[in-house]
Amino acid sequence: MSDTILVTGGAGFIGSNFILQRMEADSCAIVNLDKLTYAGNLRNLESVASHPRYEFVQGDIGDSRLIRQLFEKYRPTAVVHFAAESHVDRSIRGPADFIATNIDGTFALLEETRAYWGSLDERQKARFRLLHVSTDEVYGSLGPGDPPFAENTQYAPNSPYAASKAASDHLVRAYHHTYGLPALTTNCSNNYGRFQFPEKLIPLMILNAKEGKPLPVYGDGKNVRDWLYVEDHCTAIATVLQKGRPGETYNIGGWNEKPNIEIVQMICDLVDEMAPGRASSRRELITFVKDRPGHDRRYAMDARKIERELGWRPKETFESGIRKTVHWYLEHEDWVRDVTSGSYRQWIATHYSV
Ligand code: NAD
Ligand code: DAU
């Protein structure tokens, strides 16, 4: 029996990179269930849309009946759960969608997964996996000299987004502990790369720099994130799916801590290099703006467990990854035009108005 993976949220940034990578690297079939919120974009998956091993279904992870039908029809050997509301600033302005999808939606998905898994024979049961994709933000914020987050760091989520992801992690843990569901959780640091919606720091700065618009840096710009190239995250997920021990959590990170201001300056320099023609450096566009409420100061991941136990380490350096990413956004004007239409413009206008 060959593998069939039910991917949730596969039209988003990381999910679409994961699907494209797996379709090329594996012989698995993929069913992509995505609601197509503002963050979902089927253009990302145009190259596999009519592939015989790929199927797209538009729908909500909270729709139990639909999930049940998908399990019955496709008999997946694994679920990789990306679907979520993912933007911290949006969670601050309106947490309700985050509770609905990240908590209630994950709960509905877990319930249907448990029922389906319970109906399998022993061999299929032993083979089945649910991989829940989560974030480093569940661990809260670090001081400058604190050690990075490890798998046993106490949860201390600070934003509604982080709290909703923490809740979903706890549910996944409980479904393993109580019902024996063979679930795994990955907690990853900040991703960057192609297809990221330009509400997030890196693509927002690339596009604004290109267009000569102000580059809004929150607070003093010294908040630190640990950046990982999205393709490395996708190989980490595939590795955990293949070799991880059910019931375990694995931290994934880039060993690449950088303050935001440094990221923005690097982007300015790369855009200056790749899209010359401006009289002055893009760095002049940097504008310090009001801080994000409750803004976590520093994230850093201790990713030694996944390396020690499963042999995964990031391959891309930040210097090469950010160069590829800037190049991709500058080269893909059609994609950018598509995603920066109506509702995006409204978000930018509301969020960055003083
Ligand atoms: P994204 O916002 O780009 O994509 C989310 C996708 O989920 C979209 O395609 C959207 O349409 C879909 N979706 C939303 N609600 C849904 C619902 N109710 N039912 C079905 N589909 C729904 O997010 P991303 O950045 O690709 O993140 C994917 C996952 O990885 C999330 O769970 C996020 O918490 C986690 N994560 C992200 C990062 C990061 O840096 N982006 C880092 C660590 C973990
Ligand atoms: O750490 C993993 C998390 O990374 C994921 O779980 C989230 O889904 C993902 O959105 C991301 O969260 P962040 O809040 O860290 O990412 P964001 O790109 O929104 O912001 C990165 C940093 O840049 C953060 O310190 C806030 C700052 N920032 C962001 C924006 C959008 C700015 O200074 N200006 C901005 O306009």
Side-chain angles (χ1 to χ4, degrees), residues 18 32 44 59 76 78 81 88 93 101 104 115 117-118 123 130 132 143 171 210 217 241 265 282 288 301 332:
F18 178 80
N32 174 15
N44 305 351
H81 178 33
V88 173
R93 286 183 178 265
T101 286
D104 296 340
W117 176 73
R123 198 178 58 85
L130 176 134
H132 172 58
L171 284 171
K210 180 188 169 206
V217 174
L241 192 59
Q265 286 167 344
R282 259 87 172 186
F288 291 93
M301 279 306 230
H332 288 80

Side-chain angles (χ1 to χ4, degrees), residues 77 117 120-129 180 182 244 246:
T77 48
W117 176 73
L120 299 175
D121 67 33
E122 289 311 311
R123 198 178 58 85
Q124 293 167 331
K125 260 191 178 156
R127 184 165 170 237
F128 185 84
R129 296 286 182 272

Side-chain angles (χ1 to χ4, degrees), residues 7-24 30-36 39-58 82 194-195 234 328 332 335 338-339:
V7 171
T8 72
F13 163 46
I14 306 172
S16 54
N17 276 290
F18 178 80
I19 290 175
L20 294 178
Q21 187 187 80
R22 288 301 99 201
M23 291 297 291
E24 206 173 308
I30 290 184
V31 181
N32 174 15
L33 170 68
D34 197 297
K35 188 177 175 182
L36 297 183
N41 185 355
L42 287 181
R43 262 192 100 134
N44 305 351
L45 295 158
E46 260 168 2
S47 63
V48 295
S50 53
H51 197 291
R53 285 191 282 114
Y54 172 79
E55 195 78 49
F56 173 71
V57 179
Q58 183 169 7
F82 292 98
R194 65 176 174 174
F195 304 144
C234 295
W328 188 87
H332 288 80
W335 185 94
D338 242 33
V339 303

Side-chain angles (χ1 to χ4, degrees), residues 153-194:
T153 301
Q154 193 176 328
Y155 272 35
N158 287 321
S159 69
Y161 163 68
S164 68
K165 291 297 289 186
S168 65
D169 293 9
H170 291 325
L171 284 171
V172 171
R173 176 191 158 86
Y175 272 64
H176 172 75
H177 189 82
T178 305
Y179 305 115
L181 187 73
L184 306 126
T185 297
T186 54
N187 293 87
C188 188
S189 63
N190 286 62
N191 285 216
Y192 68 98
R194 65 176 174 174

Side-chain angles (χ1 to χ4, degrees), residues 101-152:
T101 286
N102 301 1
I103 306 179
D104 296 340
T106 300
F107 167 64
L109 180 69
L110 281 168
E111 273 294 88
E112 292 311 316
T113 308
R114 175 166 80 94
Y116 167 70
W117 176 73
S119 73
L120 299 175
D121 67 33
E122 289 311 311
R123 198 178 58 85
Q124 293 167 331
K125 260 191 178 156
R127 184 165 170 237
F128 185 84
R129 296 286 182 272
L130 176 134
L131 191 152
H132 172 58
V133 180
S134 192
T135 170
D136 58 1
E137 303 205 8
V138 297
Y139 297 121
S141 184
L142 294 167
D146 290 339
F149 302 127
E151 286 79 359
N152 58 2

